[in-house]
Amino acid sequence: MAFTTPYETDKHTVYPGDVLFSRLSFAVSLLDDYTKGKPIGRIQVRIKETGKKVIENLSGYYCFTDLEVGNYNVNIRSDLYFPEERTVNTSSFPDPKNPVLEIALKPSPVYPFPENATLLRGVVRDVINVDEPIRNARIKVTDKDVENVTDEQGNFVLYFSELSDEEEVNVEIQKYGYTKTINVAVKELETRSLGIIVFP
């Protein structure tokens, strides 16, 4: 890649006419867990050890280059998805020629779901102090591959893809070693609310 103006990094400066070559250490491929397509909104991908963020290339990959061999913590932050953090060993990819880490991002309650989405929403609060939200509680539907967590305000959203017209499901809330189960009817193409749930 040739540059027409000087390009500076923390390691070197490339002057006009020079060609810069970089070695791909690994790439991150992100997937929207709801649409199974490309994530939407603003997304930041950083390596915790360096604090540097990367730029998404034209193919939709976040590429990290010229890293020393070792372990790195990848942080992903977004306005519409729950944060993710993964540890990457740059020498552990099955195919060294294709060092790609795939991560599915879970939509948060503020995600712009379509009007006809099949959703189940609720808020989890402390049983003693109902004004205190239960953060990062695990919310899952038994016998289905449907799972999410609560946000900082205790809100959660569960989204369904394959569902009969109306179906009874068991929702499990897990936190602090406690589990609470709620039976609820979920209707296809509708959003239903469980309101405020006191926990445990």
Side-chain angles (χ1 to χ4, degrees):
M1 182 177 194
F3 294 87
T4 57
T5 59
Y7 175 78
E8 295 186 12
T9 73
D10 59 343
K11 293 183 178 180
H12 52 256
T13 300
V14 181
Y15 294 97
D18 289 348
V19 178
L20 177 65
F21 293 95
S22 294
R23 175 182 55 83
L24 176 65
S25 298
F26 67 92
V28 176
S29 175
L30 300 179
L31 179 74
D32 184 312
D33 191 60
Y34 175 69
T35 66
K36 307 305 180 188
K38 182 179 177 180
I40 60 176
R42 186 181 62 176
I43 298 174
Q44 289 186 345
V45 181
R46 296 176 185 264
I47 287 184
K48 187 175 181 179
E49 287 75 11
T50 65
K52 292 183 179 179
K53 63 181 180 179
V54 295
I55 304 299
E56 182 182 9
N57 70 11
L58 295 177
S59 300
Y61 291 91
Y62 294 85
C63 300
F64 294 94
T65 59
D66 301 321
L67 296 174
E68 299 291 337
V69 175
N71 293 324
Y72 295 91
N73 291 303
V74 177
N75 286 318
I76 301 167
R77 297 293 181 267
S78 167
D79 296 333
L80 303 176
Y81 303 89
F82 283 102
E84 291 283 346
E85 182 170 322
R86 302 291 174 86
T87 299
V88 179
N89 185 323
T90 56
S91 63
S92 66
F93 289 96
D95 182 1
K97 295 182 179 180
N98 187 37
V100 178
L101 173 66
E102 297 182 348
I103 300 176
L105 300 179
K106 291 276 191 179
S108 72
V110 299
Y111 182 92
F113 290 98
E115 290 186 8
N116 63 347
T118 306
L119 305 176
L120 187 61
R121 293 183 179 272
V123 184
V124 183
R125 299 278 177 84
D126 186 79
V127 68
I128 297 174
N129 182 4
V130 293
D131 292 328
E132 182 69 24
I134 302 294
R135 303 171 181 85
N136 203 34
R138 183 184 181 199
I139 315 292
K140 63 174 294 187
V141 178
T142 58
D143 301 325
K144 286 187 178 293
D145 187 23
V146 177
E147 183 176 329
N148 216 332
V149 295
T150 54
D151 66 9
E152 289 298 307
Q153 289 75 44
N155 298 305
F156 70 85
V157 59
L158 297 172
Y159 40 93
F160 299 78
S161 56
E162 296 181 4
L163 195 70
S164 58
D165 181 51
E166 187 168 23
E167 192 172 329
E168 295 277 338
V169 299
N170 290 315
V171 177
E172 284 187 356
I173 304 170
Q174 299 176 349
K175 182 76 174 182
Y176 307 130
Y178 295 99
T179 299
K180 183 170 188 172
T181 302
I182 299 172
N183 181 265
V184 61
V186 181
K187 189 173 178 61
E188 188 178 19
L189 308 180
E190 287 187 5
T191 297
R192 294 201 168 172
S193 175
L194 291 174
I196 295 176
I197 305 166
V198 293
F199 184 85

